[in-house]
Amino acid sequence: MPCDWDTGSSHESPDSDSAHNPQTLELLCHLNDSALGNAACPNPTLPTLNPQKVSSTATLEGKGQLKFTVGKWSPHHNCSQLATGNDTAIRGWDLRTMSQIYCIENAHGQLVRDLDFNPNRQYYLASCGDDCKVRFWDVRNVQEPVKTLEDHSHWVWSVRYNHSHDQLVLTASSDSRLILSNMVSISSEPFGQLVDDEDLSDGEDAQPGDKVKEPLTDSVVSTYEEHEDSVYAAEWSSADPWLFASLSYDGRLVINRVPRALKYRILL
């Protein structure tokens, strides 16, 4: 947007926005995608005068033309690891050596659609696919998923961990629904906020009549059905941990908030 377009301080009508023409997008480069079986790692520190230079590559080995369908950076290990999906398998890569470090064969019964790393637990990875399932993995032991969700009735296109509260997980599907789940048992705080006895001052001991706070359990928090077509993407706000958006095939963008009751249970 133009630098002088300050919509925050404007009190004009919505129609007045049409007077501000957004700047034209400029094509910087075109990456050759003819070798679909290769994973390329562009170096972000290279000068922008040569944006097509690739620092390293890796190739899938196997019969036929194997293609990657999704890739996700791990926010851990100094961002030196990457997870990719091809067909029904999930593979982990070490970008320092461009070698495969783990492989989850048949992670899903059909095509793997999306991946997302837990931002607070370095070995935990979520995946979703055309088998209508969402699975959570510990990549140190890939024999079985840690947890499997089967709340959708069609392909699951997107899975996203909340950046701040990793028990909150969004999933979007071709069944036109967006589901918010509370996955407490596999989160970084499975028992909530722990309080040491030393933190309690004299006189704060629990009384017989006091209500004991029930711990949260794994559950579907809410199902959103504002979309009328396949929901292809879901994203958490980078500024507000309780705000999220979803986008569907019919061009509808829907923004929602985490229910207030759950928000205060997590915080308090």
Coordinates of all heavy atoms in Angstrom, one line a residue, residues 185-250:
S185 N -3.5 -32.4 26.0 CA -2.7 -33.5 26.4 C -1.3 -33.6 25.7 O -0.4 -34.1 26.2 CB -3.4 -34.9 26.2 OG -3.6 -35.1 24.8
I186 N -1.3 -33.0 24.5 CA 0.0 -33.0 23.8 C 0.6 -31.6 23.6 O 1.4 -31.3 22.7 CB -0.2 -33.6 22.4 CG1 -1.3 -32.9 21.6 CG2 -0.5 -35.1 22.5 CD1 -1.4 -33.4 20.2
S187 N 0.1 -30.7 24.5 CA 0.6 -29.3 24.4 C 1.8 -29.1 25.3 O 2.2 -30.1 26.0 CB -0.5 -28.3 24.8 OG -0.7 -28.4 26.2
S188 N 2.4 -28.0 25.3 CA 3.6 -27.7 26.1 C 3.2 -27.5 27.6 O 4.1 -27.5 28.5 CB 4.3 -26.4 25.6 OG 3.5 -25.3 25.6
E189 N 1.9 -27.3 27.9 CA 1.4 -27.2 29.3 C 0.2 -28.1 29.5 O -0.9 -27.7 29.6 CB 1.0 -25.7 29.5 CG 2.2 -24.7 29.5 CD 1.8 -23.3 29.9 OE1 0.5 -23.1 30.0 OE2 2.6 -22.5 30.0
P190 N 0.5 -29.4 29.5 CA -0.6 -30.4 29.6 C -1.4 -30.3 30.9 O -2.5 -30.8 31.0 CB 0.1 -31.7 29.4 CG 1.5 -31.5 29.8 CD 1.8 -30.1 29.4
F191 N -0.8 -29.7 31.9 CA -1.4 -29.6 33.2 C -1.7 -28.1 33.6 O -2.0 -27.8 34.7 CB -0.5 -30.2 34.3 CG -0.1 -31.6 34.0 CD1 1.2 -31.9 33.6 CD2 -1.0 -32.7 34.1 CE1 1.6 -33.2 33.3 CE2 -0.6 -33.9 33.8 CZ 0.7 -34.2 33.4
G192 N -1.7 -27.3 32.6 CA -2.0 -25.9 32.8 C -0.8 -25.2 33.5 O 0.3 -25.7 33.5
Q193 N -1.1 -24.0 34.0 CA 0.0 -23.3 34.7 C 0.2 -23.9 36.0 O -0.6 -23.9 36.9 CB -0.4 -21.8 34.8 CG -0.6 -21.0 33.5 CD 0.7 -20.7 32.9 OE1 1.8 -20.9 33.5 NE2 0.7 -20.2 31.6
L194 N 1.5 -24.4 36.2 CA 1.8 -25.0 37.5 C 2.2 -23.9 38.5 O 3.0 -23.0 38.2 CB 2.9 -26.0 37.3 CG 2.6 -27.2 36.4 CD1 3.8 -28.1 36.3 CD2 1.4 -28.0 36.9
V195 N 1.8 -24.0 39.7 CA 2.1 -23.1 40.8 C 2.8 -23.8 41.9 O 2.3 -24.8 42.4 CB 0.8 -22.3 41.3 CG1 1.2 -21.3 42.4 CG2 0.1 -21.7 40.2
D196 N 4.0 -23.4 42.3 CA 4.7 -24.0 43.4 C 4.1 -23.6 44.7 O 3.5 -22.5 44.9 CB 6.2 -23.5 43.4 CG 6.9 -24.0 42.1 OD1 6.5 -25.1 41.6 OD2 7.9 -23.3 41.7
D197 N 4.3 -24.4 45.7 CA 3.8 -24.1 47.1 C 4.4 -22.9 47.6 O 3.8 -22.1 48.4 CB 4.1 -25.3 48.0 CG 3.3 -26.5 47.6 OD1 2.2 -26.4 47.0 OD2 3.7 -27.6 48.0
E198 N 5.6 -22.6 47.2 CA 6.3 -21.4 47.7 C 5.7 -20.1 47.2 O 5.8 -19.0 47.8 CB 7.8 -21.4 47.3 CG 8.5 -22.6 47.9 CD 10.0 -22.6 47.4 OE1 10.3 -21.8 46.6 OE2 10.7 -23.5 47.9
D199 N 4.9 -20.2 46.1 CA 4.3 -19.0 45.5 C 3.0 -18.7 46.2 O 2.5 -17.6 46.0 CB 3.9 -19.3 44.0 CG 5.2 -19.5 43.2 OD1 6.2 -18.9 43.6 OD2 5.1 -20.1 42.1
L200 N 2.5 -19.6 47.1 CA 1.3 -19.3 47.9 C 1.7 -18.7 49.2 O 2.5 -19.2 49.9 CB 0.5 -20.6 48.1 CG 0.0 -21.3 46.8 CD1 -0.6 -22.6 47.2 CD2 -1.0 -20.4 46.1
S201 N 1.2 -17.5 49.5 CA 1.4 -16.9 50.7 C 0.6 -17.5 51.8 O -0.3 -18.3 51.6 CB 1.2 -15.4 50.6 OG -0.2 -15.2 50.3
D202 N 0.9 -17.2 53.1 CA 0.2 -17.7 54.2 C -1.3 -17.3 54.1 O -1.6 -16.1 53.7 CB 0.7 -17.1 55.5 CG 2.1 -17.7 55.8 OD1 2.5 -18.7 55.2 OD2 2.9 -17.0 56.6
G203 N -2.2 -18.2 54.4 CA -3.6 -17.8 54.4 C -4.2 -18.2 53.0 O -5.4 -18.0 52.9
E204 N -3.4 -18.6 52.0 CA -3.9 -19.0 50.7 C -4.2 -20.5 50.5 O -4.5 -20.9 49.4 CB -3.0 -18.5 49.6 CG -3.0 -17.0 49.5 CD -2.1 -16.5 48.3 OE1 -1.3 -17.3 47.8 OE2 -2.3 -15.4 47.8
D205 N -4.1 -21.2 51.6 CA -4.4 -22.6 51.5 C -5.8 -22.9 51.1 O -6.7 -22.1 51.5 CB -4.1 -23.3 52.9 CG -2.6 -23.2 53.2 OD1 -1.8 -23.1 52.3 OD2 -2.3 -23.3 54.4
A206 N -6.0 -23.9 50.4 CA -7.4 -24.2 49.9 C -8.3 -24.6 51.1 O -7.8 -25.3 52.0 CB -7.3 -25.4 48.9
Q207 N -9.4 -24.1 51.1 CA -10.4 -24.4 52.2 C -11.3 -25.5 51.7 O -11.5 -25.7 50.5 CB -11.3 -23.1 52.5 CG -10.4 -21.9 52.9 CD -9.7 -22.2 54.2 OE1 -10.2 -22.9 55.1 NE2 -8.4 -21.8 54.4
P208 N -12.0 -26.2 52.6 CA -12.8 -27.4 52.2 C -13.9 -27.0 51.3 O -14.3 -27.7 50.4 CB -13.4 -27.8 53.6 CG -12.4 -27.4 54.6 CD -11.8 -26.1 54.1
G209 N -14.4 -25.7 51.4 CA -15.5 -25.3 50.5 C -15.1 -24.7 49.2 O -16.0 -24.4 48.4
D210 N -13.8 -24.6 49.0 CA -13.3 -23.9 47.8 C -13.6 -24.8 46.6 O -13.5 -26.1 46.7 CB -11.8 -23.6 47.9 CG -11.6 -22.5 48.9 OD1 -12.5 -21.8 49.2 OD2 -10.4 -22.3 49.2
K211 N -13.8 -24.2 45.4 CA -14.0 -25.0 44.2 C -12.7 -25.3 43.6 O -11.9 -24.4 43.4 CB -14.8 -24.1 43.2 CG -16.2 -24.7 42.9 CD -16.9 -23.8 41.9 CE -18.4 -24.2 41.9 NZ -19.1 -23.4 40.9
V212 N -12.4 -26.5 43.2 CA -11.2 -26.9 42.6 C -11.4 -26.8 41.1 O -12.4 -27.2 40.5 CB -10.8 -28.4 42.9 CG1 -9.6 -28.8 42.2 CG2 -10.7 -28.5 44.4
K213 N -10.4 -26.1 40.4 CA -10.5 -25.8 39.0 C -10.3 -27.1 38.2 O -9.3 -27.8 38.4 CB -9.5 -24.8 38.6 CG -9.5 -24.4 37.1 CD -8.4 -23.4 36.8 CE -8.4 -23.1 35.3 NZ -7.4 -22.2 35.0
E214 N -11.3 -27.5 37.4 CA -11.2 -28.7 36.6 C -10.1 -28.5 35.5 O -10.2 -27.5 34.8 CB -12.5 -29.0 36.0 CG -13.6 -29.4 37.0 CD -13.5 -30.9 37.4 OE1 -12.8 -31.6 36.6 OE2 -14.0 -31.2 38.4
P215 N -9.2 -29.5 35.3 CA -8.3 -29.3 34.2 C -8.9 -29.5 32.9 O -9.9 -30.2 32.7 CB -7.3 -30.5 34.5 CG -8.1 -31.5 35.2 CD -9.1 -30.7 36.1
L216 N -8.4 -28.8 31.9 CA -9.0 -28.8 30.5 C -8.6 -30.2 29.9 O -7.6 -30.8 30.2 CB -8.4 -27.7 29.7 CG -8.9 -26.3 30.0 CD1 -8.1 -25.3 29.2 CD2 -10.3 -26.1 29.8
T217 N -9.5 -30.7 29.1 CA -9.3 -32.0 28.4 C -9.3 -31.8 26.9 O -9.8 -30.7 26.4 CB -10.3 -33.0 28.8 OG1 -11.6 -32.5 28.5 CG2 -10.2 -33.3 30.3
D218 N -8.8 -32.7 26.1 CA -8.8 -32.6 24.7 C -10.3 -32.6 24.2 O -11.1 -33.5 24.6 CB -8.1 -33.9 24.0 CG -6.6 -33.8 24.3 OD1 -6.1 -32.8 24.8 OD2 -6.0 -34.8 24.0
S219 N -10.6 -31.7 23.3 CA -12.0 -31.6 22.9 C -12.1 -30.6 21.7 O -11.1 -29.9 21.4 CB -12.9 -31.0 24.0 OG -12.5 -29.7 24.4
V220 N -13.2 -30.7 21.0 CA -13.5 -29.8 19.9 C -14.1 -28.6 20.6 O -15.2 -28.7 21.3 CB -14.5 -30.4 18.9 CG1 -14.9 -29.3 17.9 CG2 -13.8 -31.5 18.1
V221 N -13.5 -27.4 20.5 CA -14.0 -26.2 21.1 C -15.2 -25.6 20.4 O -16.2 -25.3 21.0 CB -12.9 -25.1 21.2 CG1 -13.4 -23.8 21.8 CG2 -11.7 -25.6 22.0
S222 N -15.0 -25.5 19.1 CA -16.1 -24.9 18.3 C -16.0 -25.4 16.8 O -14.9 -25.6 16.3 CB -16.1 -23.4 18.4 OG -17.2 -22.8 17.8
T223 N -17.1 -25.5 16.1 CA -17.1 -25.8 14.7 C -17.8 -24.6 14.0 O -18.9 -24.2 14.3 CB -18.0 -27.0 14.4 OG1 -17.4 -28.2 15.1 CG2 -18.0 -27.3 12.9
Y224 N -17.0 -24.0 13.0 CA -17.5 -22.8 12.3 C -18.0 -23.2 10.9 O -17.3 -23.8 10.2 CB -16.4 -21.8 12.3 CG -15.8 -21.4 13.6 CD1 -14.8 -22.1 14.2 CD2 -16.4 -20.3 14.3 CE1 -14.3 -21.8 15.5 CE2 -15.9 -20.0 15.6 CZ -14.9 -20.7 16.1 OH -14.4 -20.4 17.4
E225 N -19.2 -22.8 10.6 CA -19.8 -23.2 9.4 C -20.3 -22.0 8.6 O -21.3 -22.0 7.9 CB -21.0 -24.2 9.7 CG -20.6 -25.4 10.4 CD -21.7 -26.4 10.6 OE1 -22.9 -26.0 10.4 OE2 -21.5 -27.5 11.0
E226 N -19.6 -20.9 8.7 CA -19.9 -19.7 7.9 C -19.6 -19.8 6.4 O -20.2 -19.1 5.6 CB -19.2 -18.5 8.4 CG -19.6 -18.0 9.8 CD -18.7 -18.6 10.9 OE1 -18.0 -19.6 10.6 OE2 -18.7 -18.1 12.0
H227 N -18.7 -20.8 6.1 CA -18.4 -20.9 4.7 C -19.4 -21.8 4.0 O -20.0 -22.7 4.6 CB -17.0 -21.6 4.6 CG -15.9 -20.7 5.1 ND1 -15.4 -19.6 4.3 CD2 -15.2 -20.7 6.2 CE1 -14.5 -19.0 5.0 NE2 -14.3 -19.6 6.2
E228 N -19.6 -21.6 2.7 CA -20.5 -22.4 1.9 C -19.8 -23.3 0.9 O -20.4 -23.9 0.1 CB -21.5 -21.4 1.2 CG -22.3 -20.6 2.1 CD -23.3 -19.7 1.4 OE1 -23.2 -19.6 0.1 OE2 -24.1 -19.0 2.0
D229 N -18.5 -23.3 0.9 CA -17.7 -24.1 0.0 C -16.4 -24.6 0.8 O -16.2 -24.3 1.9 CB -17.3 -23.3 -1.2 CG -17.2 -24.2 -2.5 OD1 -16.8 -25.4 -2.3 OD2 -17.7 -23.8 -3.6
S230 N -15.6 -25.3 0.1 CA -14.4 -25.9 0.7 C -13.5 -24.8 1.3 O -13.2 -23.8 0.7 CB -13.5 -26.6 -0.4 OG -14.3 -27.7 -1.0
V231 N -13.1 -25.1 2.6 CA -12.2 -24.1 3.3 C -10.8 -24.6 3.0 O -10.4 -25.7 3.5 CB -12.5 -24.1 4.8 CG1 -11.7 -23.0 5.5 CG2 -14.0 -23.9 5.0
Y232 N -10.0 -23.8 2.3 CA -8.7 -24.2 1.9 C -7.6 -23.7 2.8 O -6.5 -24.3 2.8 CB -8.4 -23.6 0.5 CG -9.1 -24.3 -0.6 CD1 -9.5 -23.7 -1.8 CD2 -9.4 -25.7 -0.5 CE1 -10.1 -24.4 -2.8 CE2 -10.0 -26.4 -1.5 CZ -10.4 -25.7 -2.7 OH -11.0 -26.4 -3.7
A233 N -7.8 -22.7 3.6 CA -6.7 -22.1 4.4 C -7.3 -21.6 5.7 O -8.4 -21.1 5.8 CB -6.0 -21.0 3.7
A234 N -6.4 -21.8 6.8 CA -6.7 -21.2 8.1 C -5.4 -20.6 8.7 O -4.4 -21.3 8.5 CB -7.3 -22.3 9.0
E235 N -5.5 -19.5 9.3 CA -4.3 -18.8 9.8 C -4.6 -18.1 11.1 O -5.6 -17.5 11.2 CB -3.6 -17.9 8.8 CG -2.9 -18.5 7.6 CD -1.7 -19.2 8.0 OE1 -1.2 -19.0 9.1 OE2 -1.2 -20.0 7.2
W236 N -3.6 -18.2 12.0 CA -3.7 -17.4 13.3 C -3.1 -16.0 13.0 O -2.2 -15.8 12.2 CB -3.0 -18.1 14.4 CG -3.6 -19.3 14.9 CD1 -3.3 -20.6 14.5 CD2 -4.7 -19.4 15.8 NE1 -4.1 -21.5 15.2 CE2 -4.9 -20.8 16.0 CE3 -5.4 -18.5 16.6 CZ2 -5.9 -21.3 16.9 CZ3 -6.4 -19.0 17.4 CH2 -6.7 -20.4 17.6
S237 N -3.7 -15.0 13.7 CA -3.1 -13.7 13.6 C -1.8 -13.6 14.2 O -1.5 -14.3 15.3 CB -4.1 -12.7 14.3 OG -3.4 -11.4 14.5
S238 N -0.8 -12.9 13.6 CA 0.5 -12.8 14.2 C 0.5 -11.7 15.3 O 1.5 -11.6 16.0 CB 1.5 -12.4 13.1 OG 1.1 -11.2 12.4
A239 N -0.5 -10.9 15.4 CA -0.6 -9.8 16.4 C -1.5 -10.1 17.6 O -1.2 -9.7 18.7 CB -1.0 -8.5 15.7
D240 N -2.5 -10.9 17.4 CA -3.5 -11.2 18.4 C -3.7 -12.7 18.5 O -4.2 -13.4 17.6 CB -4.9 -10.6 18.1 CG -5.9 -10.8 19.2 OD1 -5.7 -11.6 20.0 OD2 -6.9 -10.0 19.2
P241 N -3.2 -13.4 19.6 CA -3.2 -14.8 19.7 C -4.6 -15.4 19.7 O -4.8 -16.7 19.6 CB -2.5 -15.1 21.0 CG -2.6 -13.9 21.8 CD -2.6 -12.8 20.8
W242 N -5.7 -14.6 19.9 CA -7.0 -15.1 20.0 C -7.8 -14.9 18.7 O -9.0 -15.1 18.7 CB -7.7 -14.4 21.2 CG -6.9 -14.5 22.4 CD1 -6.3 -13.4 23.0 CD2 -6.6 -15.6 23.2 NE1 -5.6 -13.9 24.1 CE2 -5.8 -15.2 24.3 CE3 -7.0 -17.0 23.1 CZ2 -5.3 -16.1 25.3 CZ3 -6.5 -17.9 24.1 CH2 -5.7 -17.4 25.2
L243 N -7.2 -14.4 17.7 CA -7.8 -14.0 16.4 C -7.4 -15.0 15.3 O -6.2 -15.3 15.2 CB -7.5 -12.6 16.1 CG -8.4 -11.9 15.0 CD1 -9.8 -11.7 15.4 CD2 -7.7 -10.6 14.6
F244 N -8.3 -15.4 14.5 CA -7.9 -16.3 13.4 C -8.8 -16.1 12.2 O -9.9 -15.5 12.3 CB -7.9 -17.8 13.8 CG -9.2 -18.3 14.3 CD1 -10.2 -18.8 13.5 CD2 -9.5 -18.2 15.7 CE1 -11.4 -19.3 14.0 CE2 -10.7 -18.7 16.2 CZ -11.6 -19.2 15.4
A245 N -8.3 -16.4 11.0 CA -9.0 -16.2 9.7 C -9.1 -17.5 8.9 O -8.2 -18.4 9.1 CB -8.4 -15.1 8.9
S246 N -10.1 -17.6 8.1 CA -10.2 -18.8 7.2 C -10.7 -18.3 5.8 O -11.4 -17.3 5.7 CB -11.2 -19.8 7.8 OG -12.4 -19.2 8.1
L247 N -10.3 -19.0 4.8 CA -10.6 -18.6 3.4 C -11.1 -19.8 2.7 O -10.5 -20.9 2.7 CB -9.3 -18.1 2.7 CG -9.4 -17.6 1.3 CD1 -10.2 -16.3 1.3 CD2 -8.0 -17.3 0.7
S248 N -12.2 -19.6 1.9 CA -12.8 -20.7 1.2 C -12.8 -20.5 -0.3 O -12.5 -19.4 -0.8 CB -14.3 -20.9 1.7 OG -15.0 -19.8 1.5
Y249 N -13.1 -21.6 -1.0 CA -13.1 -21.6 -2.5 C -14.0 -20.5 -3.1 O -13.7 -20.0 -4.2 CB -13.5 -23.0 -3.0 CG -13.6 -23.1 -4.5 CD1 -12.4 -23.3 -5.2 CD2 -14.8 -23.1 -5.2 CE1 -12.4 -23.4 -6.6 CE2 -14.8 -23.3 -6.5 CZ -13.6 -23.4 -7.2 OH -13.7 -23.5 -8.6
D250 N -15.1 -20.2 -2.4 CA -16.0 -19.2 -2.9 C -15.6 -17.8 -2.7 O -16.3 -16.8 -3.0 CB -17.4 -19.4 -2.3 CG -17.4 -19.4 -0.8 OD1 -16.4 -19.1 -0.2 OD2 -18.5 -19.6 -0.2

